[in-house]
Every structure is written in C-alpha cells, then in structure tokens.
Amino acid sequence: MELRGPTSWRIGIRRQEFLLDCALWIRASERIEVPAHRLVPGPLDIEEIPEPARSVEHVPGAEWLGWWLSLVDPAGQRPQPGAGLEPADDTPDPLGLAPWPTLRRVVAERWQEAHEWHSARRQDALPRPGPGTLVVNRVVDEVEHSLGRSVRPFSLDIVLLPVRDDVIRRVDHERYLVPERVHDSPRWPVWLRSLVQRIG
C-alpha cells in the first residue's frame, strides 16, 4: 500500500480475508452449485476437499450467492433483514447469514472446520510471501515516468482469493477480486500497470 499525501493514490491489497476464504471453503466442502454471476470465482484452490456435512440439508446455491455478494459488495448487494429474522441466530456472521436459513445452519455446523483450514492456510503462507509493496510502487513509478507527471488521485482495494481461476473480477471502480495465482504471477504487474495507466 502507498499513500502520498491527501490528494494522492492508495492501493490496498488484502490476502486471506477470513470471511471470504471461509465462504469459499463452505461452498467447496458442501458442493454448493451456485448460479452464474460475474462476482463468483472459480473453485477453491485446495488439494483435498472435505466431505459434506451429513446432518444438514442441501444448501440452495442462491443462498450462498446472496451471502457471497453481501461479503464482496456490501454497499451494493446486502439484503435488508426481514422483520421475522433473528439477527443473532447462532452464526459467526449473524447479520450476514440471517436471510439464508439453510446456509446459516450449515455454516454453524462447519464453522470450526473452516476456521481450522483458514488458520492452517495462514501458517503455510508465512514462508511464501507474494509480490508486495515494492511491486506496486514500482508499477506506479513506471506509469508516472511514462506519463511525465504524477498520477491523478485514486484508491484501489484489491482482494485476493484462493481460487483455481485466472479471472480478475471488478466489483466497482475501486474494488477488484483477484485470484492469488494471478497476483503471484508475472501477469500481476502487467494488469496493474494497465489499470493504473487508465485511472491515473
């Protein structure tokens, strides 16, 4: 991340977002078939998918999609809880899961497993950091050099996802969902440079 004064630019890169990672794990472990949507990434990048829970019913894909959209695009997609919904109904994300009763039960049952997977993933990633602030700063410096001026003020929020996917998804003009495998590849600075040239 870089911040250069009150009228400059900012690029925030978030890796291993707890709720997003766990939502992807729930989708994978429960084999949830999700309706196509531009913000739904490919499958979880995991070696061994856990078995689905046997004590709860099948989760409708529309419920998982609603939860996912509320997590990745809260300003544009979060549904308003209805009057009959209990906002603290034994869920780790009570307001986020209240509208989806079947998913809420599955998440409550599988949450500990999802948490353990996420914690192990964080430990595994410690010795292998991806491209960091230096790459971001270098890209912006190169763009400024090519333009012959400072870039215009902008703010970007890059959310990295552990998925087997090469598609970068634009949530809005400031937020992008980027597969970790893209971020950790030579493609990342090329894509970032193109974006900064366009908005800067």
Side-chain angles (χ1 to χ4, degrees), residues 21-152:
D21 285 6
C22 288
L24 292 168
W25 186 91
I26 294 287
R27 179 185 67 166
S29 66
E30 291 301 311
R31 306 337 187 244
I32 300 171
E33 300 272 338
V34 180
H37 190 281
R38 68 180 185 83
L39 295 180
V40 174
L44 184 66
D45 194 1
I46 188 173
E47 294 299 321
E48 192 172 321
I49 307 265
E51 287 299 313
R54 299 292 178 212
S55 59
V56 292
E57 66 250 62
H58 175 72
V59 176
E63 287 196 12
W64 187 90
L65 176 60
W67 184 39
W68 179 253
L69 294 177
S70 76
L71 296 174
V72 299
D73 188 14
Q77 302 291 339
R78 184 176 288 278
Q80 296 301 315
L85 295 173
E86 169 54 53
D89 192 17
D90 72 5
T91 64
D93 177 23
L95 294 176
L97 288 169
W100 303 289
T102 305
L103 178 63
R104 183 176 65 232
R105 288 189 289 275
V106 169
V107 171
E109 180 166 326
R110 303 298 303 267
W111 194 251
Q112 186 59 40
E113 291 173 85
H115 185 276
E116 289 168 5
W117 168 78
H118 186 263
S119 297
R121 191 173 106 73
R122 289 188 68 167
Q123 287 294 349
D124 289 347
L126 288 177
R128 299 180 285 107
T133 305
L134 291 177
V135 169
V136 170
N137 290 344
R138 188 184 75 230
V139 164
V140 175
D141 286 343
E142 289 171 359
V143 170
E144 289 182 329
H145 181 72
S146 72
L147 295 173
R149 61 170 173 80
S150 296
V151 294
R152 290 185 291 268

Side-chain angles (χ1 to χ4, degrees), residues 141-195:
D141 286 343
E142 289 171 359
V143 170
E144 289 182 329
H145 181 72
S146 72
L147 295 173
R149 61 170 173 80
S150 296
V151 294
R152 290 185 291 268
F154 68 83
S155 178
L156 291 175
D157 185 26
I158 307 295
V159 181
L160 304 182
L161 301 177
V163 292
R164 290 184 180 149
D165 190 334
D166 292 326
V167 178
I168 296 171
R169 291 172 169 81
R170 180 178 183 252
V171 178
D172 58 35
H173 69 283
E174 290 189 353
R175 178 179 288 188
Y176 292 82
L177 306 177
V178 178
E180 288 179 352
R181 58 178 49 208
V182 171
H183 177 262
D184 298 342
S185 76
R187 182 178 165 203
W188 168 244
V190 174
W191 176 84
L192 185 61
R193 185 177 299 108
S194 172
L195 179 61

